[in-house]
Amino acid sequence: MIVGYGRTSTLEQRAGLEAQLRDLEAARCEKIFQEQVSSIGKRSQLEAALDFIRDGDTLTVTKLDRLARSTQHLLEIADRVRTKGAHLHILNLGIDSGTATGKLLLTMIGAIGQFEREMMLERQREGIAKAKSEGKYKGRKPTAMAKSDEIVALKVQGIGASEIARRLGVGRASVYRVLDRAA
């Protein structure tokens, strides 16, 4: 059986998910697991797909970055797929882990992808550091501190920190910080 998996990070990427589903259907996937969750979040549908596959199946994804967050993660997934007697197929790379060449390419592409991600993050950190040194980067404005008057007023009314946090859309720890500063 050909099993597909599609993922986007946010709800705003609906068109990206639709394109993945179209490509997975064109690849003759008989069952498709899909979700909209960041790569670092808990991906229940990926877990479901990995649990679902059986001996002789192929787990198909459109792109490598839709599947794994690092080389190590990719290799873990590939090992789980292999342990079940199944194969991994990445459409845009034409890689099928059912072949020796496919296994080699999968490992190499995963390493290159992780390298590129780390380089991008390094460039981002350098850019932020430069902007900070030039006084151009201030970071995001502290949400809870902007609502400190509201937090204190709700506390005076006898409302607990958890409820204050929920009502104002801030973290409970932030509520405690505001209240400590106000005391």
Side-chain angles (χ1 to χ4, degrees), residues 144-161 163-165 167-168 170 174-176 178-183:
M145 290 303 155
K147 297 180 179 182
S148 56
D149 292 340
E150 294 172 80
I151 291 171
V152 172
L154 289 170
K155 185 64 178 173
V156 168
Q157 293 175 23
I159 298 170
E163 179 61 18
I164 293 171
R167 285 187 188 184
L168 299 179
V170 297
S174 296
V175 171
Y176 285 121
V178 167
L179 294 174
D180 284 345
R181 288 185 182 155

Side-chain angles (χ1 to χ4, degrees), residues 96-105:
D96 182 353
S97 70
T99 67
T101 303
K103 288 177 194 171
L104 173 66
L105 288 174

Side-chain angles (χ1 to χ4, degrees), residues 15 36 39 51 53 63 70 87 97 112 134 148 164 169 183:
Q36 292 181 297
S39 66
D51 288 342
I53 57 174
K63 297 178 182 178
S70 67
H87 302 289
S97 70
I112 292 167
E134 295 172 356
S148 56
I164 293 171

Side-chain angles (χ1 to χ4, degrees), residues 9 15 24 32 37 51 55 67 97 108 112 115 143 161 167:
S9 299
L24 292 170
I32 298 175
V37 63
D51 288 342
D55 187 34
L67 179 66
S97 70
M108 290 174 59
I112 292 167
F115 172 76
T143 309
R167 285 187 188 184

Side-chain angles (χ1 to χ4, degrees), residues 80-148:
R80 286 179 67 183
V81 170
R82 182 191 52 75
T83 300
K84 290 211 158 194
H87 302 289
L88 182 59
H89 185 200
I90 303 166
L91 295 175
N92 76 327
L93 299 175
I95 293 177
D96 182 353
S97 70
T99 67
T101 303
K103 288 177 194 171
L104 173 66
L105 288 174
L106 190 62
T107 303
M108 290 174 59
I109 297 289
I112 292 167
Q114 182 174 346
F115 172 76
E116 177 57 32
R117 171 116 177 100
E118 289 172 5
M119 293 299 294
M120 185 265 310
L121 291 173
E122 186 176 308
R123 288 188 302 268
Q124 182 182 31
R125 283 189 297 271
E126 289 170 357
I128 289 171
K130 182 179 182 222
K132 281 182 178 179
S133 71
E134 295 172 356
K136 296 178 182 175
Y137 182 85
K138 308 289 188 214
R140 79 171 172 85
K141 292 183 179 166
T143 309
M145 290 303 155
K147 297 180 179 182
S148 56

Side-chain angles (χ1 to χ4, degrees), residues 1-4 24-25 27-32 52 57-58:
M1 174 181 268
I2 301 174
V3 178
L24 292 170
E25 287 170 3
R28 298 189 333 257
C29 290
E30 300 165 62
K31 181 157 181 69
I32 298 175
F52 181 83
D57 288 352
T58 299

